[in-house]
Amino acid sequence: MGSEPRWVGLKPSGIRYSAGINTDLLSAAADAGIAVPFACKNGVCELCEARLLSGSALNTRNQQMIPVGARLMMCRTVACDHLELEISAVMAAGKNQPRKFQANVVDVRSISHDVYRVELQLPRRRELSFHAGQYLSVILPDAEPCYFSIASSPSEQNIELHIQASPEWVSAQKVIDALTSGEAVSLELPHGKACIASAPEKPLLLIAAGTGFAQMKSLVEYLRGTSFSQPVKLFWGVRRHEDMYLRSMARQWEQEWSAFTFQPVVGDDEDNDWSGHHDQLVRAVLATGADWKNVEVHASGSPTMVYTLMDALIEAGLPPEGFFSDVLEYAPRS
């Protein structure tokens, strides 16, 4: 096969990635954004252990071929052919089971007139595995759980949230009030199936309304840490200019990452007949003229926005399986 990359399939997750001829399987998985557990990268901790189901692989420690059926350490293995491995520690997108954690509040700060950036620390962070784009619930005594997108990449040690809170948003305001007390808070995570467990093979369109930007931030920061090189375009729709609370961050991504482009969509830019930023946002997305059969779309916003967008894109030619949003799970059409 010369110097061509080898495909490595992981079971039972069904995830597949490529590995160069001189790249160990653990490093290649990291380049593809796949969360394989590890500690030492030297074959000692055995956290990256897998079993060879098919193909030819070389142990780089003793330069011996690894027989099919044998266990291997991914950090000490290179692919000599296409491989199939069994590794139960790698979960398919959205298949990790939610668990309860106690988190310490590191920081709560206002970043706009009604949005707060929250940073949480989990004392048992190594026990938590989540995928980019998932969300969590904050559990307060005598209150219904409140759900928020995780705004940080799975590789970050702390958890970041963007919470829109005001007197009108009673439940969110209660969460902010509880967090600013500085006491530990109960979380349940991860939730959500509209997430990414490995770098996609298609260009991405990311569409957010309001604090839906938090989910897109997790996806962007995750992808920037992988070898993903397909185009990524982010649309962020808000009602007023001041609602775009991290516009400078999105502009910075655009400057630093050549594959990334950002298009803000602001209701204030329309006339007085404007009917809502979800309509304007959908028109902006459709105007890209993308190859809808060869793109993956992730959307975060109100059910009205998400379903309006989904219907328009499917009518334009997007396959239904190419559209991802948590709304499809928590607010399904009857």
Side-chain angles (χ1 to χ4, degrees):
M1 294 183 60
S3 59
E4 296 179 3
R6 282 79 162 128
W7 286 106
V8 182
L10 305 180
K11 288 193 170 183
S13 67
I15 293 173
R16 190 179 77 155
Y17 68 100
S18 65
I21 188 171
N22 295 317
T23 305
D24 67 80
L25 301 184
L26 180 63
S27 297
D31 286 343
I34 300 168
V36 177
F38 72 91
C40 69
K41 291 189 176 181
N42 198 35
V44 176
C45 71
E46 299 189 350
L47 291 178
C48 64
E49 178 182 333
R51 188 166 68 92
L52 181 62
L53 299 179
S54 66
S56 301
L58 178 72
N59 183 324
T60 59
R61 183 184 293 277
N62 58 20
Q63 298 300 308
Q64 299 292 315
M65 298 300 295
I66 300 170
V68 172
R71 73 185 191 110
L72 56 83
M73 301 304 138
M74 294 177 66
C75 64
R76 283 293 184 174
T77 304
V78 295
C80 302
D81 197 352
H82 299 315
L83 304 180
E84 193 170 71
L85 306 179
E86 181 182 60
I87 176 167
S88 59
V90 175
M91 306 295 293
K95 294 297 184 181
N96 28 23
Q97 292 299 311
R99 298 172 55 192
K100 287 185 169 62
F101 292 86
Q102 285 292 110
N104 297 321
V105 179
V106 176
D107 186 47
V108 179
R109 68 179 63 186
S110 174
I111 55 175
S112 81
H113 63 285
D114 64 352
V115 176
Y116 294 82
R117 178 190 178 275
V118 174
E119 185 178 354
L120 303 173
Q121 180 186 59
L122 275 64
R124 298 181 293 151
R125 178 65 179 88
R126 289 190 61 178
E127 298 180 18
L128 169 65
S129 175
F130 70 91
H131 294 134
Q134 291 195 288
Y135 60 94
L136 56 74
S137 62
V138 177
I139 305 170
L140 300 179
D142 303 318
E144 291 293 319
C146 292
Y147 296 90
F148 304 101
S149 293
I150 300 172
S152 42
S153 167
S155 63
E156 295 295 324
Q157 287 302 303
N158 290 346
I159 301 293
E160 180 181 336
L161 307 176
H162 300 163
I163 299 180
Q164 186 175 23
S166 66
E168 294 78 26
W169 297 77
V170 177
S171 58
Q173 188 62 56
K174 285 183 178 179
V175 171
I176 290 298
D177 292 342
L179 294 175
T180 52
S181 70
E183 296 181 3
V185 63
S186 295
L187 309 176
E188 184 177 79
L189 69 161
H191 295 284
K193 298 179 180 178
C195 54
I196 295 178
S198 60
E201 298 179 9
K202 294 181 178 181
L204 287 184
L205 284 184
L206 309 178
I207 298 102
T211 53
F213 174 79
Q215 183 180 24
M216 303 310 155
K217 177 178 178 292
S218 177
L219 293 174
V220 169
E221 294 187 342
Y222 161 78
L223 289 170
R224 290 187 68 186
T226 73
S227 59
F228 185 73
S229 59
Q230 296 278 5
V232 179
K233 183 155 189 166
L234 169 66
F235 293 83
W236 188 5
V238 296
R239 186 173 296 275
R240 299 170 298 177
H241 283 275
E242 56 265 35
D243 295 332
M244 197 163 286
Y245 55 90
L246 286 177
R247 181 195 295 254
S248 60
M249 176 177 286
R251 290 297 189 199
Q252 185 175 354
W253 291 338
E254 192 171 41
Q255 293 172 4
E256 296 175 350
W257 190 19
S258 61
F260 180 84
T261 54
F262 169 53
Q263 183 168 334
V265 181
V266 183
D268 281 350
D269 293 337
E270 292 285 281
D271 58 30
N272 292 330
D273 294 328
W274 180 64
S275 60
H277 67 256
H278 66 269
D279 294 325
Q280 185 184 357
L281 189 55
V282 171
R283 292 197 301 270
V285 175
L286 288 172
T288 62
D291 177 6
W292 298 114
K293 295 187 182 301
N294 186 42
V295 70
E296 186 171 306
V297 176
H298 289 256
S300 183
S302 69
T304 300
M305 185 279 279
V306 168
Y307 282 117
T308 301
L309 176 67
M310 183 179 72
D311 291 344
L313 294 185
I314 290 175
E315 183 178 352
L318 178 75
E321 61 272 17
F323 187 89
F324 297 87
S325 176
D326 289 317
V327 166
L328 308 184
E329 181 182 0
Y330 72 74
R333 283 171 165 166
S334 56

